[in-house]
Amino acid sequence: MSDTSDPVKQAIAYAREHQEDFVRSLHEILRIPSVSTLSLHAEDVERAGDWTENHLRHIGLQEVKRLPTPGFSVVFGEWMEAGPRAATLLLYGHYDVQPTDPLDQWTSDPFEPTTRGDDIFARGVSDDKGQFLAMLSGIESYLKSTGSLPINIKVLIEGEEEISSPHLAALLIEHRDLLACDAVVIADQPMFSNTEPTICYAVRGSCYLQIDVQGPSVDFHSGTAGGAIENPFNALVRMLARFQSADQRIQVPGFYDEVELPDDDERRLLARSPVTDDLVKHFTGVRAVAGEPGFSSAERLSIRPTFEIHGMPGGFTGEGKKSLIPSIASAKISFRLVPRQDPVKIAALVEAFVKEIAPETVRVTCRQSGHSYPALVDRSHPAVQAADRAYQAAFGHPAVYFRAGGSLPIVHDITMTLGAAVTMIGFGLPDDRPHGPDEKLHLPNFHRGIEMAIHYFHEVSLISAHRDARPARV
């Protein structure tokens, strides 16, 4: 029997009694193939929005509605009955997911959730459906067991995060008053292990571009034209090789102008991170780690910018052989950026560099196809510290603080528009493979995540809504 004198205990008792219901709800949304990057799944993305909208009503939120954008709509709901003196927390998540290719590397259907041992496998289960649903289940546990929440809560779940949230910044500005809050929580991060919960206090930005190299007007037989004209792939490979030195320093002029090293205290904090060379090798399967000399793996994954080649479409890639010189070759590239680097400026520097190194034998174009800004949060903010205490209550261990290697465009957009501190937490694990085959989520973490959310709402309620309201740094 639950303790009716303690709302937290009541909510946790409800959560434990309804674990199967929460997993059933998770299965429902996981079955929707809401792949925002592929137009053939556009209707599925909207269906995931419909499901999310209905679920917000089911758990007891009020004023649930869709906020339209030129792309996929955003789902909003709130519960504001804690009163004007109570803190207001905004919960952010996203219901869109990555594509599933290569499909042949999945052990089971990516959109038919499958439990093996203590893990549930499905596309989007870790990124981000399972994580935001854990937070929503914490809200449900409070409302269904006690009839109230200790704080005011607003929920914002979007369908375009996997395509860099192109319309979210404008939506935040348009609905600034509706979304006004004291703090923001985002559950979209991995823990280091089952016993090492994490709080992320920084994310890298990104700048994604495509380089197209045009050679002959049509594909030519290499025996007919080879040696007399430039092969676009040959030219492209030579150009790409100039982007990075042998020690993996990026060679674009001006690229490092705004890159700063953190102070000694933060570097000591990063040195205590569980991320080691051996851990990187274990989880990635590589023979040896790589990166800039003078930096640890933990630092290379967080405080340093990167250059990556993601794919080179064009030419012949089918079975067998075909001796041709393709008319066009392309490369999809990206840069991870650290705080103070501006992705728009970086894109301009890259485009100028491409123009400088392009050979006269081909026509070269470079176009940007997405970007996001880096962000750095004050890790001593009371809302961030509240998450640490909530982790200790639910997982039995304090949080490890770290900078994320990935990007979350919403962090910069929120801090610039709403001026609220952002707390980045999560219940995934390093081997969840969120963008790869056999994406999974550890079910015990899902259930402990629900209890962490319950404790977090309580801890935030102990913070005055207006005390020490320091905005995040960007």
Side-chain angles (χ1 to χ4, degrees):
M1 181 176 296
S2 62
D3 184 348
T4 57
S5 65
D6 187 332
V8 173
K9 290 182 178 179
Q10 283 182 264
I12 288 176
Y14 179 95
R16 291 177 179 177
E17 292 167 4
H18 292 81
Q19 287 186 353
E20 291 185 4
D21 295 332
F22 296 147
V23 172
R24 192 175 300 114
S25 294
L26 179 56
H27 280 202
E28 289 176 2
I29 191 169
L30 289 173
R31 290 191 177 103
I32 304 174
S34 49
V35 183
S36 57
T37 60
L38 300 176
S39 59
L40 63 90
H41 285 293
E43 292 185 2
D44 296 314
V45 178
E46 289 294 351
R47 281 203 299 127
D50 293 340
W51 186 96
T52 304
E53 181 181 0
N54 291 332
H55 192 70
L56 294 192
R57 291 194 177 94
H58 164 75
I59 68 176
L61 294 189
Q62 304 159 348
E63 303 298 325
V64 177
K65 56 187 174 183
R66 301 288 269 275
L67 304 179
T69 78
F72 297 116
S73 59
V74 174
V75 182
F76 174 83
E78 65 182 14
W79 192 90
M80 298 293 291
E81 296 184 11
R85 295 184 61 83
T88 297
L89 179 70
L90 175 66
L91 165 64
Y92 165 85
H94 65 93
Y95 57 80
D96 63 322
V97 301
Q98 282 279 316
T100 58
D101 54 307
L103 193 60
D104 61 356
Q105 293 185 23
W106 284 80
T107 305
S108 53
D109 186 334
F111 293 112
E112 182 52 50
T114 304
T115 300
R116 297 194 287 274
D118 285 334
D119 296 325
I120 182 170
F121 292 81
R123 171 57 85 226
V125 66
S126 181
D127 182 20
D128 175 48
K129 291 176 178 179
Q131 302 218 46
F132 83 70
L133 194 59
M135 301 299 292
L136 295 182
S137 298
I139 295 174
E140 176 182 347
S141 297
Y142 250 119
L143 290 176
K144 295 292 179 68
S145 64
T146 71
S148 65
L149 288 161
I151 57 175
N152 298 311
I153 280 186
K154 299 178 180 181
V155 173
L156 187 73
I157 312 291
E158 69 155 320
E160 296 186 328
E161 194 273 347
E162 299 294 1
I163 53 173
S164 300
S165 304
H167 303 108
L168 196 60
L171 182 136
L172 291 172
I173 295 171
E174 180 183 356
H175 298 284
R176 190 196 312 260
D177 293 340
L178 177 68
L179 301 173
C181 59
D182 300 297
V184 180
V185 63
I186 302 173
D188 194 14
Q189 297 293 331
M191 299 168 51
F192 282 118
S193 72
N194 286 332
T195 59
E196 294 172 298
T198 58
I199 292 176
C200 172
Y201 64 92
V203 293
R204 290 192 288 194
S206 66
C207 179
Y208 204 110
L209 304 104
Q210 178 162 319
I211 301 172
D212 296 312
V213 179
Q214 176 75 55
S217 56
V218 296
D219 292 355
F220 270 92
H221 190 294
S222 62
T224 301
I229 65 173
E230 182 78 85
N231 185 313
F233 265 118
N234 293 12
L236 178 60
V237 168
R238 293 197 304 270
M239 292 171 62
L240 292 174
R242 296 186 61 177
F243 270 84
Q244 201 173 48
S245 65
D247 62 1
Q248 300 199 20
R249 289 274 299 181
I250 295 164
Q251 298 300 292
V252 177
F255 183 86
Y256 289 98
D257 286 356
E258 277 76 42
V259 175
E260 294 180 347
L261 284 177
D263 59 30
D264 291 341
D265 286 343
E266 187 174 1
R267 293 198 76 174
R268 282 191 289 268
L269 178 67
L270 291 171
R272 297 197 295 269
S273 165
V275 176
T276 63
D277 290 359
D278 287 341
L279 187 71
V280 171
K281 288 190 290 184
H282 171 73
F283 280 110
T284 62
V286 299
R287 295 177 59 187
V289 297
E292 285 183 89
F295 296 97
S296 66
S297 286
E299 291 175 331
R300 291 169 179 166
L301 289 167
S302 59
I303 66 172
R304 301 304 294 166
T306 67
F307 164 67
E308 307 289 352
I309 302 170
H310 301 292
M312 298 177 64
F316 175 69
T317 59
E319 185 178 356
K321 66 177 184 178
K322 185 178 183 181
S323 302
L324 63 80
I325 295 175
S327 64
I328 190 168
S330 302
K332 296 178 182 291
I333 65 172
S334 77
F335 300 84
R336 293 289 177 178
L337 310 176
V338 295
R340 295 186 59 83
Q341 284 189 295
D342 184 331
V344 175
K345 178 180 177 181
I346 294 299
L349 292 175
V350 172
E351 289 172 7
F353 181 63
V354 168
K355 184 177 180 180
E356 175 188 337
I357 64 175
E360 295 182 355
T361 50
V362 291
R363 293 184 293 276
V364 179
T365 58
C366 180
R367 51 193 170 90
Q368 187 176 346
S369 52
H371 72 265
S372 66
Y373 283 83
L376 179 63
V377 176
D378 179 4
R379 60 185 184 275
S380 68
H381 192 282
V384 178
Q385 295 301 305
D388 196 340
R389 294 190 296 273
Y391 267 135
Q392 293 185 57
F395 285 84
H397 299 275
V400 176
Y401 289 79
F402 79 108
R403 289 193 186 207
S407 304
L408 273 177
I410 183 66
V411 180
H412 175 271
D413 295 340
I414 284 176
T415 53
M416 293 298 290
T417 305
L418 304 181
V422 179
T423 303
M424 290 175 279
I425 60 172
F427 317 117
L429 290 174
D431 62 349
D432 279 352
R433 305 178 74 177
H435 285 201
D438 279 355
E439 179 179 351
K440 70 172 183 64
L441 183 67
H442 195 53
L443 278 171
N445 279 18
F446 175 68
H447 295 303
R448 280 194 291 265
I450 295 170
E451 296 187 17
M452 186 275 183
I454 293 168
H455 285 292
Y456 184 60
F457 301 149
H458 169 71
E459 292 292 341
V460 172
S461 74
L462 304 180
I463 304 171
S464 169
H466 303 291
R467 184 185 64 211
D468 199 19
R470 290 168 288 174
R473 291 169 56 196
V474 295

